[in-house]
Amino acid sequence: MVKFAGYLLLGIPLLAAAESDWDLLQKAAQAGRHQALSGSYTHHVDDELETFRLYRAQEDGVVRERRESMDGMPRELVRDDNELTCYAPDTKALSAAKVNAIKLFPAILPERSQDLKSAYVLSRGKLDRVARRDCQWLLLTPKEANLRYGLKVCVDPASALPLKTVTHDAKGAVIEQFAFSDLTLGNPKERALLRPRFKYSLALGAAVSAPQEVVPADFEIRGMPTGFRLLRYATRQLPGHDSPVSHFVYTDGLAKLSLFVEAGKGEADSHPAVIGPGGLGLASRRLGNQVLTVVGDLPEQGLENVINTVRVIKK
């Protein structure tokens, strides 16, 4: 493929000369949430590969979309502006649908890409081709390489839509990836494609949650990694726990990190970080009369760093 001065010689400019990488990433974040389209994409994590069909329309600034799993348990996720609902033919498949509501490709990037600057370095990678479309790789590399995962995003020059994303560790090993296999831009031709087919439904709430910013007045949290902001807080009664557990959810724009705080009783043991499927890890520690547990999209060293530095002061 011939390329010159930032242009592919196919009649499509790849990136305007005055446009920064951060500007392009911000456009990719917006397109990932709002670009009207019809297409299929794959989600590959560990040894599991799943295919989804996605239809999205935008009318008068309102986005509606439906995505359906093409293999495994049948299930759908329907987004009406910022409200998510999952649908399934039975209650068992409905539970599986909740799991797949976590990452809604191609809406992988945060709405404010500038929020990533404190913890990630952005650079431009090579040119590539995904779903028969030329694209430009943008690389988000953690400033502290072993404490977070990196992300690569291949952006369509015409629409700024992310065509493929790859989450990887410090050695470059792939943790998770999404990629379109076919794609048509614009509203679906039939509105019926946006309507769910299945009977059972469950409301999941907001597709995008605004950061809460303020920790509840009776808590003070110290030692969270740079760039993480409070997304939400709740008190939960978890199975096997005698008293409610305080649950704080943080995000740096890419990774999510849950912090659970409960009263420590008896001989509670600390548990070193364990990484499970999809790079999701867990670590816990007894600290005074508290047991702290962190669960999140961080590598082992990153989780160990959090559990060893975070402090929760109950006022």
Side-chain angles (χ1 to χ4, degrees), residues 160 196 209 214 257 295-296:
S209 299
V214 179
L257 185 64
V295 180

Side-chain angles (χ1 to χ4, degrees), residues 33-54:
R33 285 178 167 78
H34 303 294
Q35 173 65 52
L37 59 87
S38 299
S40 297
Y41 69 87
T42 56
H43 177 207
H44 194 179
V45 55
D46 297 322
D47 295 328
E48 299 294 325
L49 179 65
E50 191 168 17
T51 304
F52 291 85
R53 187 68 183 168
L54 172 60

Side-chain angles (χ1 to χ4, degrees), residues 219 233-247 260-265 291 314:
F219 283 97
Y233 164 79
T235 300
R236 305 182 183 279
Q237 186 65 56
L238 299 180
H241 295 257
D242 296 330
S243 57
V245 176
S246 296
H247 180 200
F260 297 92
V261 184
E262 58 186 307
K265 294 182 179 180
V291 175
K314 188 77 162 63

Side-chain angles (χ1 to χ4, degrees), residues 4 9 22 56 63 110 122 125 140 149 168 183 196 213 223-224 227 251 257 271 277 300 314:
F4 176 75
L9 298 187
W22 287 104
R56 181 193 289 167
V63 175
L122 178 62
L140 281 162
Y149 296 122
H168 60 89
L183 177 65
E213 303 287 359
M224 289 297 294
T251 182
L257 185 64
H271 297 282
E300 181 178 342
K314 188 77 162 63

